Amino acid sequence: MTNDETPVISISNLHKSYGNLEVLKGVDMTAPRGHVVSLIGSSGSGKSTLLRCCNLLEDSQDGEIRFEGEPVRWRGHGLHRHPADKGQVIRIRSNLSMVFQQFNLWAHMTILQNVMEAPLTVLHQSREEVETRARELLDKVGIAEKADAYPAMLSGGQQQRAAIARALCMEPRALLFDEPTSALDPELEQEVVRVIKALAEEGRTMLLVTHDMRLAADVSDHVVFLHQGRIEEEGPPDALFGNPQTQRLRGFLRATEA
Ligand SMILES: Nc1ncnc2c1ncn2[C@@H]1O[C@H](COP(=O)(O)OP(=O)(O)OP(=O)(O)O)[C@@H](O)[C@H]1O
Ligand SMILES: [Mg+2]
């Protein structure tokens, strides 16, 4: 059973290794409904890995992942632990839409086709219904006139907004962003920042990995600072950015100001 109090995602004691390299060393994290949780930290600290473990794009070796209170079912142990139920994986993944740094649009499909693809093939929804929604979403992100263009004909900022429309078209319970603005020039970055802020104001549940501390400070309800696979410090943005408690976070924030 779920209600508004049940977090969309909750993770406890998550451990993840690539071979001998332990990348997540016991991470606890919760994404309550309607909240924006940002993940910050140095390159290699495990931010992308944590995001990819959440929607089961990566296996993890220990710990629990819950989607709307429902625990992921596993078979096997340690490096042999995998999700046990393919149907559950598809359901969870299609409810946690991901937006990547490099947009990852299909080059051979128009923008409209890109946005419609997953609802048609994964959710088996009717073409008419999906097309109506897709066009509304392209309008919402400000690129309605690009529906019939191909990705290569769009600027980076437009491509990323198309990728956000594509993620939204799945009507997911949460959006997972992995550095959505870091491949963009500063002025294009702002187009995408505006869309992310509007989504936060709508009360979308979001997990946001970002190097943009101003964005994290502006949109987050909660900020998590990862360091070498562990949560070093976390809290509301005012506290985390205004009054960092650990030497490591202070050092990290100084370095990102430069
Ligand atoms: N597929 C993989 N195989 C082996 N090691 C990996 C793989 N993906 C990531 N790693 C390692 O896991 C660690 C964490 O990587 P991750 O991509 O999660 O970091 P990140 O915090 O997202 O960094 P960045 O800010 O550079 O994106 C790094 O040491 C990285 O080299
Ligand atoms: Mg990363």
Side-chain angles (χ1 to χ4, degrees), residues 46-74:
K47 305 179 298 294
S48 296
T49 304
L50 180 55
L51 215 59
R52 294 166 61 82
C53 285
C54 282
N55 72 349
L56 308 173
L57 282 172
E58 293 284 353
D59 280 343
S60 48
Q61 283 78 49
D62 201 5
E64 196 165 78
I65 301 173
R66 286 175 183 265
F67 171 70
E68 298 192 322
E70 169 192 338
V72 172
R73 288 185 287 282
W74 305 101

Side-chain angles (χ1 to χ4, degrees), residues 19-258:
N20 292 329
L21 179 69
E22 197 180 20
V23 174
L24 298 177
K25 302 169 184 167
V27 171
D28 299 291
M29 190 187 63
T30 303
R33 192 176 308 282
H35 285 216
V36 180
V37 176
S38 291
L39 297 172
I40 61 171
S42 312
S43 182
S45 56
K47 305 179 298 294
S48 296
T49 304
L50 180 55
L51 215 59
R52 294 166 61 82
C53 285
C54 282
N55 72 349
L56 308 173
L57 282 172
E58 293 284 353
D59 280 343
S60 48
Q61 283 78 49
D62 201 5
E64 196 165 78
I65 301 173
R66 286 175 183 265
F67 171 70
E68 298 192 322
E70 169 192 338
V72 172
R73 288 185 287 282
W74 305 101
R75 62 179 162 76
H77 294 282
L79 289 168
H80 303 288
R81 182 173 97 153
H82 307 289
D85 178 348
K86 279 212 174 87
Q88 185 188 38
V89 171
I90 291 169
R91 188 157 40 80
I92 291 176
R93 200 173 289 157
S94 55
N95 272 296
L96 302 175
S97 291
M98 191 124 165
V99 176
F100 300 92
Q101 179 176 349
Q102 295 297 343
F103 331 135
N104 295 1
L105 296 167
W106 300 104
H108 64 289
M109 290 182 188
T110 66
I111 295 302
L112 183 67
Q113 287 167 341
N114 265 279
V115 175
M116 292 177 61
E117 177 68 9
L120 290 179
T121 60
V122 181
L123 304 180
H124 306 291
Q125 293 174 338
S126 85
R127 181 168 289 275
E128 201 182 358
E129 176 194 339
V130 174
E131 181 167 344
T132 304
R133 190 163 76 237
R135 288 189 185 278
E136 284 168 7
L137 289 167
L138 288 174
D139 188 40
K140 180 187 174 105
V141 300
I143 51 168
E145 78 287 1
K146 300 293 184 188
D148 299 318
Y150 286 86
M153 299 156 72
L154 270 59
S155 73
Q158 291 168 337
Q159 288 187 52
Q160 189 59 304
R161 286 182 283 149
I164 293 172
R166 179 179 59 175
L168 289 168
C169 204
M170 288 295 279
E171 303 188 301
R173 299 304 175 93
L175 290 164
L176 313 186
F177 289 92
D178 193 354
E179 307 272 11
T181 59
S182 55
L184 302 172
D185 295 336
E187 69 276 28
L188 301 183
E189 192 175 336
Q190 286 316 306
E191 299 174 352
V192 174
V193 164
R194 272 197 293 279
V195 171
I196 294 172
K197 284 185 177 168
L199 293 172
E201 272 160 27
E202 272 176 19
R204 299 259 176 191
T205 310
M206 303 199 267
L207 266 181
L208 172 65
V209 171
T210 185
H211 278 128
D212 181 342
M213 295 304 128
R214 185 174 299 168
L215 175 62
D218 283 351
V219 302
S220 309
D221 297 286
H222 190 77
V223 181
V224 172
F225 172 57
L226 270 182
H227 177 76
Q228 295 182 357
R230 287 195 175 86
I231 296 180
E232 181 80 13
E233 193 168 336
E234 61 180 314
D238 290 356
L240 217 82
F241 294 116
N243 186 20
Q245 298 297 304
T246 59
Q247 196 61 44
R248 284 199 178 113
L249 179 55
R250 285 195 289 271
F252 173 76
L253 292 176
R254 262 200 309 276
T256 57
E257 272 164 20

